[in-house]
Amino acid sequence: MTGPEIPESHPRYESLLTRHRIESGVDRGLTSRQGLIAQGRGEAFDYLLGEETIPSADDAERAAAAHLLRADHAVLSVNGNVAALAAEETVELAAVTGADIEVNLFNRTDARIERIVEHLEAHGAETVKGASADGRIPGLDHERAKVDADGIGSADVVLVPLEDGDRAEALAEMGTTELVVDLNPMSRSARSATVPIVDNLVRALPNMTDHARELIDADDETLDSIVSAFDADAALSAAERRIRDA
Ligand code: PTJ
């Protein structure tokens, strides 16, 4: 997976490894070619953030874990970049929090949905939604609006990593609590989120799983207090400050 050309001693080894995973995702028909562009944008922000989980992102990941644990019906949305970068980590977070997994693509094709479902199953997912597409996100054109009625269509909490701003806003307008992972604190996706997580997906998901494991026996009162103590505007400002001061 690493490719022989990346020595572990390289100072940006992790970043190059992540890039290689996206390339391989495109080659395997999991990731769209636009996913390469999204990756490049993400890398630039991650470089400025110091390629680490900043304290405000850790707080957001804890708040997101609390939301997932107290949800009636949580769904983790998976696109082509998420499948290539963090299939196993997604399956693990779903297992710990009891969330559903749904493949939900911006550039939707049935073939890519099918490949991503198989890829997630190969990484241990038992049920993966997204193929039936019998629900709609209101206010979007046909292909981008498709969701499963018993998945994202009826979820009270949805985790949407690396989402297009238009769709993130439309999802938020459905009244669902939206947890967004996006390295750009100025993106419309991050700004429309209940919990914006300004961190690389490859760090954010395992950290959310760690928080969820730690909170698994917490009572509703404790989870509610973590959720209400989280301040989305403060988290976005902290990330923007870190980038500007880089
Ligand atoms: O697989 P599909 O068809 O659903 O398409 C998915 C992409 C990602 C191509 C689509 O949603 C898209 O075009 O997204 P955008 O508008 O390019 O936005 C992607 C956002 O994610 C940008 O703000 C990037 O900075 C950010 N990003 C990229 N890589 C990561 C990331 N955020 C967190 N972790 C990353 N690894």
Side-chain angles (χ1 to χ4, degrees):
M1 179 65 98
T2 63
E5 74 283 10
I6 311 173
E8 278 190 47
S9 59
H10 193 291
R12 304 199 55 253
Y13 174 76
E14 286 299 331
S15 171
L16 295 175
L17 186 59
T18 304
R19 185 182 292 184
H20 179 75
R21 287 210 191 109
I22 290 286
E23 266 185 305
S24 147
V26 174
D27 291 344
R28 291 151 76 193
L30 301 170
T31 309
S32 75
R33 284 185 298 160
Q34 283 188 24
L36 294 166
I37 299 167
Q39 167 71 17
R41 294 168 71 193
E43 277 183 18
F45 285 106
D46 206 13
Y47 186 81
L48 294 171
L49 283 163
E51 292 173 349
E52 62 178 11
T53 301
I54 63 174
S56 56
D58 183 54
D59 288 346
E61 284 152 13
R62 187 170 169 81
H67 271 290
L68 290 173
L69 288 172
R70 72 168 204 164
D72 289 329
H73 179 202
V75 178
L76 313 183
S77 180
V78 174
N79 65 19
N81 286 52
V82 179
L85 291 179
E88 198 175 321
E89 291 80 358
T90 301
V91 172
E92 204 172 349
L93 179 61
V96 172
T97 59
D100 279 344
I101 300 176
E102 176 165 340
V103 181
N104 187 251
L105 301 182
F106 181 75
N107 308 291
R108 185 187 175 95
T109 66
D110 287 343
R112 201 148 66 86
I113 295 264
E114 204 174 299
R115 273 187 224 113
I116 295 174
V117 169
E118 280 169 10
H119 181 68
L120 290 164
E121 285 171 350
H123 283 84
E126 279 172 21
T127 310
V128 182
K129 296 184 192 286
S132 55
D134 50 354
R136 291 282 175 276
I137 306 169
L140 285 180
D141 57 53
H142 190 63
E143 287 302 309
R144 295 183 312 150
K146 287 182 173 175
V147 290
D148 277 17
D150 67 349
I152 290 174
S154 57
D156 58 342
V157 176
V158 185
L159 175 77
V160 277
L162 283 77
E163 185 57 273
D164 158 83
D166 204 24
R167 262 180 24 137
E169 281 178 350
L171 273 169
E173 274 164 30
M174 284 170 67
T176 40
T177 295
E178 204 176 15
L179 318 171
V180 168
V181 184
D182 192 325
L183 280 158
N184 177 4
M186 285 153 287
S187 76
R188 280 194 294 143
S189 310
R191 295 196 170 270
S192 64
T194 315
V195 180
I197 300 162
V198 185
D199 197 6
N200 197 314
L201 176 74
V202 301
R203 296 188 298 268
L205 288 180
N207 199 32
M208 284 171 66
T209 304
D210 286 349
H211 281 300
R213 282 210 176 93
E214 195 220 312
L215 293 169
I216 199 102
D217 295 322
D219 54 25
D220 285 353
E221 206 181 317
T222 307
L223 295 177
D224 286 348
S225 71
I226 293 168
V227 161
S228 53
F230 178 74
D231 182 338
D233 290 335
L236 290 171
S237 300
E240 197 175 325
R241 261 198 316 279
R242 169 65 83 104
I243 288 169
R244 288 189 191 280
D245 293 347

